[in-house]
Amino acid sequence: MSSETLKIPQATAKRLPLYYRFLKNLHSAGKLRVSSAELSEAVKVDSATIRRDFSYFGALGKKGYGYNVDYLLSFFRKTLDQDELTKVALVGVGNLGTALLNYNFLKNNNTKISVAFDIDEAKIGSTMSGVTIYHMDDMEKVLTELGITIAILTVPAPFAQSITDRLAQANVKGILNFTPARLTVPATMRVHHIDLAVELQSLVYFLKHYGVNEVEELEEVEE
Amino acid sequence: MSSETLKIPQATAKRLPLYYRFLKNLHSAGKLRVSSAELSEAVKVDSATIRRDFSYFGALGKKGYGYNVDYLLSFFRKTLDQDELTKVALVGVGNLGTALLNYNFLKNNNTKISVAFDIDEAKIGSTMSGVTIYHMDDMEKVLTELGITIAILTVPAPFAQSITDRLAQANVKGILNFTPARLTVPATMRVHHIDLAVELQSLVYFLKHYGVNEVEELEEVEE
DNA sequence: AGTTTTATGTGAAATGGATAACAATGTTTT
DNA sequence: AAAACATTGTTATCCATTTCACATAAAACT
């Protein structure tokens, strides 16, 4: 409902970063062209789906040839706003939070954890992986000053909702929620969940109940 | 295509662990009954969807009353095999792997990281959070001995595919893949992806391009 | 230059999932 | 015991997404 490119399906939007990453790989490997079939093999998405996804942005390829890697790459770089750095806050510097601090988001995306918050006095004022840790009491102030609108939430579940409310106050628009809590947020915010326990548990369920494709043809499959 | 309960939709199956967790909360809070509407509020899933999900397992509720918390809970405990402990292996004890070791999957699910593998001599032989770390050279042997068929993969991307091939050899059936690599696996295996960079990146994309529901009504929404 | 091959972009069909809406039925109240 | 109420289970509908299949056009070959 905003911006240039009109209404890409959500499912497509979720695959864009994936395409982008693999295109970068191809580029580094010196490949000049690529077909939807090749790309399909690499990212494990049906080739028709890939062509359809690309087609939302216009005709990016050439019939009988495929796609020019450099062109596609620079197109996606623009589309994904990879030219400007996106600053993100980390809220909660526990085990998982620390791991995410060390995880180099920058390498693949132009996204960086620029600031972190916690309540542990031992951590406050120190830096980890070059990121300064502030007290959560100063969260609103610091976020507003830095103009950060995206937060990664890795606090204990019982605090998740109240902290979310404060993030909303501080004009944060997006939360990547690693907490098991299901957050209530204003309509102006967007939450993506990564629920580790649910992910693991549902994998277990699938294996036990959907059983393991009774080796009929033994072709290669995915997800 | 196996087991008792015939073919639950995948989308439903992914929500089961979520329902289970919230039912446990309700139980602890001493609630005896719950309606699909209440549950909907808590887990942020449409109440009709919840009723539909439950209905795949038969008539679990009572009209005009709702669902009996204890009954539902024990039903899901059976359905999700929460009575037997599911042992899981962790492959790659880096930042993220370490965080997952400390993350207590046991608390919510009856799932436990029982063994870990790495190639760092400094870590091998030691235990973290009570889990012994073995050398990856011994992976097949140890996995087979312990009869473990589920692995969490947190190794550097370049090693992901070759290690996956070895896991397949060792009779592992499910992988929770935190690696950006898209794995090629035999049809007998199942892979769930958790791609942190893609998750963050797509959140950024949504915020920039779908913009933030232009505050029309300002109702509470989610995801 | 003509023929064959390749691979896109897309209409049409198929699949999968979410939601609205309500009859059926048990619960609660009076 | 009757009336009013609440809430399920499900049918029908809707919506989003995936996939098929092929006309089209460019590329590669001869």
Side-chain angles (χ1 to χ4, degrees), chain B residues 75-197:
Chain B
F75 179 83
F76 277 116
R77 177 156 40 234
K78 269 179 290 170
T79 301
L80 292 172
D81 290 300
Q82 293 293 307
D83 290 327
E84 74 183 274
L85 180 78
T86 302
K87 288 182 290 186
V88 171
L90 178 78
V91 184
V93 190
N95 288 316
L96 190 55
T98 304
L100 294 176
L101 270 181
N102 292 320
Y103 193 96
N104 196 349
F105 287 107
L106 252 186
K107 191 159 284 166
N108 288 313
N109 319 300
N110 214 347
T111 306
K112 186 175 187 322
I113 296 178
S114 305
V115 63
F117 301 97
D118 206 299
I119 52 168
D120 181 353
E121 294 291 348
K123 292 173 186 158
I124 290 160
S126 72
T127 73
M128 296 182 62
S129 304
V131 177
T132 304
I133 301 173
Y134 292 90
H135 195 287
M136 288 239 314
D137 289 350
D138 302 326
M139 191 168 71
E140 288 87 339
K141 198 184 67 184
V142 175
L143 287 178
T144 310
E145 270 169 19
L146 296 175
I148 288 179
T149 60
I150 296 179
I152 298 175
L153 194 60
T154 49
V155 300
F159 304 106
Q161 184 61 57
S162 63
I163 292 173
T164 296
D165 295 343
R166 289 177 54 195
L167 290 171
Q169 287 292 316
N171 203 35
V172 165
K173 297 302 181 201
I175 293 181
L176 191 56
N177 176 27
F178 283 87
T179 285
R182 254 41 196 182
L183 305 172
T184 299
V185 296
T188 52
M189 284 182 86
R190 186 171 188 102
V191 179
H192 280 202
H193 285 281
I194 297 185
D195 194 322
L196 300 176

Side-chain angles (χ1 to χ4, degrees), chain A residues 30-216:
Chain A
K31 282 213 86 181
L32 299 178
R33 60 186 266 193
V34 65
S35 68
S36 60
E38 283 176 276
L39 207 47
S40 169
E41 172 60 24
V43 299
K44 302 280 192 288
V45 170
D46 186 273
S47 70
T49 301
I50 293 178
R51 292 199 299 281
R52 168 90 51 200
D53 283 347
F54 287 4
S55 78
Y56 292 116
F57 299 98
L60 301 179
K62 272 194 276 191
K63 303 196 181 191
Y65 175 89
Y67 302 89
N68 178 295
V69 172
D70 283 6
Y71 176 73
L72 214 49
L73 194 57
S74 76
F75 179 83
F76 277 116
R77 177 156 39 232
K78 270 180 290 171
T79 301
L80 291 171
D81 290 299
Q82 292 295 306
D83 290 328
E84 75 183 275
L85 181 78
T86 303
K87 287 182 289 183
V88 172
L90 178 79
V91 185
V93 190
N95 288 315
L96 190 55
T98 303
L100 294 176
L101 271 182
N102 293 319
Y103 193 97
N104 196 348
F105 287 107
L106 253 187
K107 191 158 288 168
N108 289 313
N109 320 301
N110 214 347
T111 307
K112 184 174 189 325
I113 295 177
S114 306
V115 61
F117 302 97
D118 206 297
I119 52 168
D120 180 353
E121 295 291 349
K123 292 173 185 157
I124 290 158
S126 72
T127 73
M128 295 182 62
S129 304
V131 177
T132 305
I133 301 172
Y134 293 90
H135 196 287
M136 288 239 316
D137 289 351
D138 303 325
M139 192 168 70
E140 287 87 339
K141 197 184 66 184
V142 175
L143 288 179
T144 310
E145 270 169 20
L146 296 176
I148 288 179
T149 59
I150 297 180
I152 298 174
L153 194 60
T154 47
V155 300
F159 304 107
Q161 185 61 58
S162 63
I163 291 174
T164 296
D165 295 344
R166 289 177 54 196
L167 290 172
Q169 288 292 315
N171 202 37
V172 165
K173 296 304 180 201
I175 293 181
L176 190 56
N177 176 26
F178 283 87
T179 285
R182 256 38 197 182
L183 304 172
T184 299
V185 296
T188 52
M189 283 182 86
R190 182 167 191 105
V191 179
H192 281 202
H193 285 282
I194 298 184
D195 195 322
L196 300 176
V198 162
E199 236 29 86
L200 183 57
Q201 192 60 38
S202 75
L203 176 60
V204 171
Y205 181 86
F206 278 119
L207 290 175
K208 292 219 172 125
H209 293 258
Y210 285 61
V212 160
N213 287 356
E214 355 262 270
V215 200
E216 298 155 279

